[in-house]
Amino acid sequence: AAAAAAAAGGAPPTLLDPTLSGAALLTPAGDEQAALAARRAHKAAFRAAVALFNAKPAKGLAALRDLGLVGAEAGDAAAFLARQGTGLDKAAIGELLGERDESLLKVMHAYVDALDFAGATFDGALRSFLDGFRLPGEAQKIDRLMEKFAQRYVACNPSSFRSADVAYVLAYSVVMLNTDAHNPQVKVKMSKADFVRNNRGVDDGADLPEEFLGELYDRIVHDEIKMKDGGMGGAAAGGG
């Protein structure tokens, strides 16, 4: 009997104890196996949800929430998207953040509002912003993301521009310059004079300082903002 074995200092039983009126009492070995199986099931469910997210971001986010891996609040989803090591594809994150659905717009706003651009140069903030995802291909999605970036940058740096509209126009201009400067298919490159001329009057009718625009041009031309690769947020090792 199990009780006799335990009293005699023997090892605990390795099976369910048949003397306990058929009760399914798991032993330490059984507990460990059950825990291992639960962990494996959890990881499998997490990987499946991540794979769904990378194919269909909105449905994948819903699956992650159904599994209890992401909270229901917009901030919960935003924090998860910003995490490293989840295996989320950066292009898929960008597609989700650019959606116009009201609930997903709240996620995008929470995501951007969690970024701290205080004291950052304009291109430094833009680099940080674009590091966590890849810009989607749809113009309206890019527009929503750039508009929110501009609002956040000016909120963090109130003396930087006269309004968020100025930052919005300049952000687009920088992205265009980045593409022009680093796309090998563009044979005739934009000059510094071209860049300065293209941004005349953007400061609510006034011109931004030429020195500021020239330095911005130099930093973009000499150091590309990476916007092409899909990129993964690390290996999807698990949901915890």
Side-chain angles (χ1 to χ4, degrees):
T14 57
L15 298 174
L16 296 180
D17 190 339
T19 67
L20 297 179
S21 303
L25 177 64
L26 287 174
T27 66
D31 287 342
E32 185 176 343
Q33 290 177 353
L36 179 60
R39 286 196 298 270
R40 285 175 175 169
H42 173 80
K43 288 183 178 181
F46 177 76
R47 290 191 182 107
V50 166
L52 179 59
F53 180 95
N54 290 340
K56 297 181 178 180
K59 290 185 177 181
L61 178 60
L64 288 163
R65 281 173 162 163
D66 289 344
L67 290 168
L69 299 173
V70 177
E73 299 298 322
D76 298 328
F80 184 80
L81 295 178
R83 280 175 55 186
Q84 295 296 313
T86 59
L88 300 183
D89 185 85
K90 288 187 176 183
I93 294 174
E95 289 293 334
L96 184 82
L97 293 175
E99 291 289 350
R100 66 178 179 179
D101 177 84
E102 185 65 27
S103 64
L104 296 179
L105 272 176
K106 290 179 180 179
V107 172
M108 186 266 279
H109 286 189
Y111 179 95
V112 181
D113 285 338
L115 300 173
D116 184 7
F117 298 138
T121 62
F122 187 74
D123 57 302
L126 190 57
R127 291 176 195 278
S128 176
F129 176 60
L130 296 175
D131 183 59
F133 63 93
R134 293 294 171 257
L135 280 176
E138 186 179 327
Q140 289 183 335
K141 291 186 176 184
I142 296 175
D143 187 71
R144 282 188 283 272
L145 287 163
M146 287 302 181
E147 183 178 24
K148 181 59 183 173
F149 163 77
Q151 292 172 357
R152 181 59 181 165
Y153 183 79
V154 172
C156 291
N157 301 277
S159 62
S160 57
F161 300 108
R162 296 187 185 188
S163 70
D165 288 342
V166 181
Y168 166 76
V169 173
L170 188 59
Y172 256 111
S173 183
V174 168
V175 169
M176 291 175 61
L177 171 63
N178 188 75
T179 300
D180 178 276
H182 300 287
N183 187 338
Q185 295 181 351
V186 177
K187 302 304 180 184
V188 181
K189 301 296 185 182
M190 186 187 307
S191 69
K192 185 182 295 188
D194 292 333
F195 181 70
V196 172
R197 183 171 55 252
N198 291 344
N199 286 286
R200 282 179 182 163
V202 300
D203 192 15
D204 288 351
D207 291 343
L208 292 169
E210 187 169 337
E211 181 181 3
F212 165 77
L213 291 174
E215 291 175 351
L216 180 59
Y217 174 93
D218 289 339
R219 290 195 296 269
I220 297 301
V221 168
H222 295 130
D223 186 9
E224 179 183 4
I225 299 176
K226 302 296 184 182
M227 296 190 296
K228 292 298 182 184
D229 63 294
M232 305 295 283

